[in-house]
Amino acid sequence: MDKQTRQETIAVFHEMTSGMLRHDVTLLKQVIAPDAIFVHLNGKVESREVWLDQMRIGRMRYLDSNELTLTVTEDGTDVVIVSRSDLTARIYGFENCWHIETTTRLAQRNNAWQITRSQAQFF
């Protein structure tokens, strides 16, 4: 993977994190593909729109994120970022800090990197 691809995909990943913390749905719609899939810690699978709706109505509030590690690899034409972080959030009214590992897949769409899948699990 070339240096530019690595930098661009990490920037998109960090923009998603920033958008989550700022509850910036407009930014999130820019960096997440319309057909993206999210797999939550409990295994629940949601579309981008369902996930964004949960944020809009306040069921999912991301409060803080402390990135601990980040690795970037290629998988064919896609890029996969695996990040470990401490994520503080209020989910369905319950606030906690979770130690999560997120595997995020990015693909080129209209000459820009977009997130197409994100899966969270505990570490």
Side-chain angles (χ1 to χ4, degrees):
M1 164 183 343
D2 63 47
K3 185 177 179 179
Q4 181 178 349
T5 297
R6 180 178 168 77
Q7 290 173 337
E8 288 175 358
T9 54
I10 289 172
V12 169
F13 177 79
H14 286 150
E15 286 176 356
M16 181 177 78
T17 302
S18 177
M20 290 167 55
L21 296 174
R22 295 187 338 228
H23 317 290
D24 187 341
V25 173
T26 301
L27 172 61
L28 291 169
K29 282 188 168 190
Q30 291 172 5
V31 299
I32 301 170
D35 59 343
I37 298 297
F38 290 86
V39 183
H40 296 283
L41 291 169
N42 63 4
K44 184 176 181 181
V45 178
E46 290 183 333
S47 68
R48 178 188 82 167
E49 291 309 311
V50 170
W51 181 64
L52 292 176
D53 284 343
Q54 296 297 312
M55 287 183 60
R56 273 189 214 100
I57 63 174
R59 286 194 179 144
M60 293 190 178
R61 286 279 179 209
Y62 300 95
L63 306 171
D64 190 35
S65 179
N66 178 31
E67 186 175 278
L68 305 172
T69 64
L70 184 123
T71 60
V72 184
T73 58
E74 285 182 302
D75 183 14
T77 58
D78 290 353
V79 170
V80 177
I81 295 177
V82 178
S83 171
R84 285 187 167 189
S85 61
D86 293 333
L87 178 68
T88 303
R90 185 175 303 115
I91 307 297
Y92 297 107
F94 298 98
E95 186 173 326
N96 200 358
C97 180
W98 290 274
H99 308 292
I100 63 166
E101 179 177 278
T102 306
T103 302
T104 304
R105 180 172 292 272
L106 299 97
Q108 279 276 333
R109 302 275 175 95
N110 300 316
N111 297 317
W113 288 102
Q114 284 194 312
I115 293 162
T116 59
R117 181 180 174 85
S118 185
Q119 182 167 353
Q121 63 186 27
F122 294 107
F123 76 89

